[in-house]
Amino acid sequence: MRRLFPVTDMTALNPQVSDADREWSLDELADAYAYPEGEERWLRANMVSSLDGAGQHEGRSQPLSSDADMRIFGTLRGLADVVVVGAETVRLEGYRPARAREAFAARRAAAGQGPAPVIAVVTASLDLDLSLPLFASPLVPTLVLTGAGAPAGRLAAARDAGVEVLLAGEGAGVDPARAVALLAGRGLRRQLTEGGPRMLGQFTAAGVLDELCLTVSPTMTAGDAQRIAHGPSLAHPTRLGLASLLEQDGFLFSRYRRI
């Protein structure tokens, strides 16, 4: 396991580099955040939090982010087979289709991946604007994960619009374990979730989260914003082990894995 702490700047990926102002290359970031080999599937979450525990500010995560955070965000997407996201986050963050990036093209081709990750939207209500580019004109088809008890009219409308809907639960909601298994069964084993907090809380409670990539933003927000995971408390806290810790401009980029 590679340990990159304590560090003072983001040149820590390459200790031979003495120029402290040099940014990490995308190849260095991709190596640092590579998915583990030999796993049937691996679900990692990528989230950002303020110093006082807020997972968003006025409903969005962008105010807590930074340029370096966005580079890691892009790297994690560039490595993933599928990005799993809740419908509320799709609406609040204005999600668009994942795009192909030349910097990751050779790496994705060598791994047998498509040009961009699939977006898989988790929703119980199927309250989705199917005219959005995420559904109407994605580079790779967007998937929708819902339960067998979802509203029949909306289910039919989604399918009529050409959206592939996967049933990942017996009721209206999605069973997290079934969802990740369905995606892995389609060859989408390198899984990434970007929230939101409610969905991450459900996936954590179900015990299917393998890794958390958490950016700690050097900001205070006060207010009553949700934490990065929201929902019923676990009977026993889930313990993760620190895999790496990086820093730039006061932002901490941590990576924790299941023990």
Side-chain angles (χ1 to χ4, degrees), residues 27-47:
D27 277 339
E28 287 172 322
L29 285 172
D31 288 341
Y33 283 91
Y35 279 84
E37 295 294 332
E39 299 285 347
E40 289 187 8
R41 61 100 185 142
W42 189 267
L43 175 66
R44 64 169 35 144
N46 181 32
M47 302 292 283

Side-chain angles (χ1 to χ4, degrees), residues 30 33-45 75-84 104 106-120 143 179-194 208 210-211 257:
Y33 283 91
Y35 279 84
E37 295 294 332
E39 299 285 347
E40 289 187 8
R41 61 100 185 142
W42 189 267
L43 175 66
R44 64 169 35 144
T75 298
L76 295 180
R77 278 198 165 198
L79 298 174
D81 295 326
V82 59
V83 177
V84 188
F104 294 100
R107 188 181 291 264
R108 292 186 67 86
Q113 296 173 296
V118 173
I119 304 293
L143 300 175
V180 297
L182 276 174
L183 293 172
R186 299 170 67 91
L188 305 174
R189 69 173 190 83
R190 304 173 189 89
Q191 301 171 3
L192 170 67
T193 177
E194 298 166 352
V208 298
D210 299 298
E211 180 178 325
R257 289 187 171 186

Side-chain angles (χ1 to χ4, degrees), residues 34-113:
Y35 279 84
E37 295 294 332
E39 299 285 347
E40 289 187 8
R41 61 100 185 142
W42 189 267
L43 175 66
R44 64 169 35 144
N46 181 32
M47 302 292 283
V48 61
S49 171
S50 69
L51 292 174
D52 53 340
Q56 50 195 226
H57 180 64
E58 296 183 345
R60 301 180 65 239
S61 60
Q62 190 277 331
L64 305 179
S65 187
S66 68
D67 289 345
D69 182 48
M70 293 309 298
R71 283 173 65 81
I72 291 177
F73 174 93
T75 298
L76 295 180
R77 278 198 165 198
L79 298 174
D81 295 326
V82 59
V83 177
V84 188
V85 61
E88 185 175 3
T89 297
V90 167
R91 290 188 288 266
L92 290 173
E93 300 281 357
Y95 258 60
R96 299 185 61 81
R99 59 189 178 89
R101 299 183 61 188
E102 183 61 32
F104 294 100
R107 188 181 291 264
R108 292 186 67 86
Q113 296 173 296

Side-chain angles (χ1 to χ4, degrees), residues 153-168:
R154 288 178 175 173
L155 182 60
R159 287 174 169 162
D160 288 346
V163 177
E164 186 170 2
V165 181
L166 305 180
L167 299 182

Side-chain angles (χ1 to χ4, degrees), residues 47 56 88 195-205 224-234:
M47 302 292 283
Q56 50 195 226
E88 185 175 3
R198 186 181 307 168
M199 194 188 79
L200 181 56
Q202 293 169 349
F203 278 51
T204 301
D224 57 358
Q226 289 181 334
R227 299 181 308 178
I228 64 167
H230 179 74
S233 296
L234 303 181

